[in-house]
Amino acid sequence: LRDSHAALQKFNDEILQHDFVASDSLSIADIQIFFELSLYFLIFSTNVRELYPKIHAWHERVHHANTHIEAS
């Protein structure tokens, strides 16, 4: 779990430089990472909002974008 914390911290601090992973638009990378992290956070009961605020904000954007796509 220590290694995963370091990876999540790097994702939070360095990789999330845009609204989404690869750019300012939703991509397949966002969707894949969204589901992987959702499962991780559920299994390990991680307080994403407190520990990784950028990941939390990104997760909310992806969720909202997905909801918007499904409604179209």
Side-chain angles (χ1 to χ4, degrees), residues 6-50:
L8 288 168
Q9 197 64 54
K10 182 173 183 164
F11 185 62
N12 187 78
D13 296 342
E14 298 174 23
I15 296 173
L16 287 176
Q17 299 297 318
H18 305 281
D19 283 347
F20 297 98
V21 172
S23 68
D24 290 327
S25 301
L26 182 69
S27 71
I28 192 69
D30 292 290
I31 295 167
Q32 176 64 35
I33 295 168
F34 175 87
F35 285 110
E36 295 290 336
L37 287 180
S38 294
L39 183 60
Y40 176 88
F41 296 143
L42 180 67
I43 291 172
F44 295 108
S45 300
T46 304
N47 185 347
V48 182
R49 185 179 302 210
E50 184 178 312

Side-chain angles (χ1 to χ4, degrees), residues 43-71:
I43 291 172
F44 295 108
S45 300
T46 304
N47 185 347
V48 182
R49 185 179 302 210
E50 184 178 312
L51 295 174
Y52 312 108
K54 287 183 181 178
I55 293 175
H56 174 71
W58 164 83
H59 197 269
E60 292 294 311
R61 280 192 299 277
V62 173
H63 177 73
H64 179 71
N66 187 43
T67 303
H68 178 70
I69 291 168
E70 288 177 359

